[in-house]
Amino acid sequence: MTFQRSGNCEMKTVHTFSSALSRYIAGANYLTSLTGAGVSAESGIPTFRGGDGLWNRYRPEELATPEAFSRDPETVWRWYAWRMERVFSALPNPAHLAFAKLQERGRLRSLITQNVDDLHERAGSRDVLHLHGTLRQMRCVTCGRRVPVDRPPEVPPLPVCACGALMRPDVVWFGEALQPDVLERAFAEASRSDVMIVAGTSAVVHPAAGLPLEVKRRGGTVIEINPDVTPLSSLADLSIRMPAGEAMMWCLTG
């Protein structure tokens, strides 16, 4: 079932999709959510794969790979300091607030995100599983020590660990594996889930893209919220073609 917003969307259509979404949420025994860059984009953070995505202006191998960091750590850190400034100054949007409210009400059991920002946490969500790491930490390339990041670093100088080695952003770069413990927990949550809301993700990056497939494999329901058609759309039980903030707030208030 697909609902798509048009320029003259009738209230009847809005109430129909919000009622359907509300029924799925109310009837779920174990509701989970997977969020992607489209959710953060509603707070003004550029996406990676959309029409205005970051990768349209920069080559990923120049900025977000271990090889790039080894070759030119200052350029990589300058770019990440710029990203941190954008992310840390952004505010949670209605989608973040809605997911936090669902968790507060005891409906949402687990929130999994592909995003490296902390907007879910600042909206009030707890125990968020960050599949791709977080910009709120940096990690030593030698000893693995993690240090919180309260503000973007001034570069130069480059951030250095107490052991003398360079620090790097604690995010998963292209060509790197996800943290095994985080990935294991995410799939464990998906295997328990009978309803998963997939919001703002293109559903093409594995292994994260396998999470809704795991829900479907076990007979569960997948709800997609995305303005665009994605590879997941044909498999979703309910597909809502609008921004996550708008859809989720209609669900909570409609």
Side-chain angles (χ1 to χ4, degrees):
M1 182 170 18
T2 300
F3 292 97
Q4 184 168 355
R5 183 185 62 178
S6 63
N8 59 349
C9 179
E10 297 180 359
M11 291 298 294
K12 180 179 179 181
T13 301
V14 171
H15 286 307
T16 299
F17 92 72
S18 62
S19 295
L21 180 55
S22 296
R23 286 197 302 271
Y24 278 123
I25 291 174
N29 292 316
Y30 202 94
L31 175 68
T32 60
S33 182
L34 171 65
T35 66
V39 172
S40 293
E42 295 178 44
S43 290
I45 298 175
T47 64
F48 290 111
R49 290 176 175 78
D52 61 345
L54 288 172
W55 298 142
N56 291 340
R57 287 175 287 169
Y58 304 100
R59 296 174 59 198
E61 59 270 23
E62 293 176 349
L63 298 168
T65 66
E67 294 77 16
F69 188 75
S70 296
R71 183 172 59 248
D72 191 353
E74 182 171 328
T75 295
V76 172
W77 259 119
R78 282 182 181 275
W79 185 65
Y80 271 96
W82 173 80
R83 284 192 66 192
M84 288 175 179
E85 184 176 354
R86 294 286 298 273
V87 167
F88 296 172
S89 63
L91 297 175
N93 63 61
H96 299 109
L97 297 172
F99 284 117
K101 181 63 68 174
L102 283 176
Q103 191 177 49
E104 179 185 316
R105 293 177 178 177
R107 300 306 306 156
L108 183 63
R109 305 295 292 275
S110 181
L111 177 55
I112 307 163
T113 187
Q114 295 171 280
N115 300 330
V116 295
D117 58 64
D118 64 338
L119 292 174
H120 279 302
E121 286 88 346
R122 284 195 274 141
S125 292
R126 306 176 306 279
D127 301 322
V128 181
L129 287 175
H130 283 269
L131 293 175
H132 296 160
T134 174
L135 291 175
R136 281 296 185 178
Q137 289 184 160
M138 60 178 73
R139 184 176 82 245
C140 178
V141 299
T142 298
C143 72
R145 178 172 177 254
R146 287 180 165 86
V147 176
V149 177
D150 296 322
R151 60 180 61 88
E154 296 287 340
V155 180
L158 294 175
V160 176
C161 179
C163 74
L166 287 177
M167 303 291 283
R168 54 162 282 182
D170 193 18
V171 298
V172 178
W173 281 333
F174 289 96
E176 293 184 323
L178 276 62
Q179 292 186 47
D181 58 329
V182 175
L183 185 61
E184 182 178 348
R185 287 177 60 196
F187 271 93
E189 291 299 307
S191 68
R192 299 175 66 184
S193 178
D194 60 332
V195 179
M196 174 177 279
I197 300 173
V198 181
T201 174
S202 56
V204 297
V205 178
H206 282 273
L211 293 169
L213 300 182
E214 175 68 11
V215 175
K216 290 292 291 183
R217 188 179 71 84
R218 293 178 174 271
T221 297
V222 171
I223 301 166
E224 179 189 50
I225 305 175
N226 200 309
D228 303 313
V229 177
T230 77
L232 182 65
S233 298
S234 61
L235 300 176
D237 298 274
L238 175 63
S239 193
I240 301 171
R241 292 280 166 270
M242 63 176 61
E246 186 175 348
M248 292 302 296
M249 291 309 293
W250 269 110
C251 169
L252 291 180
T253 61

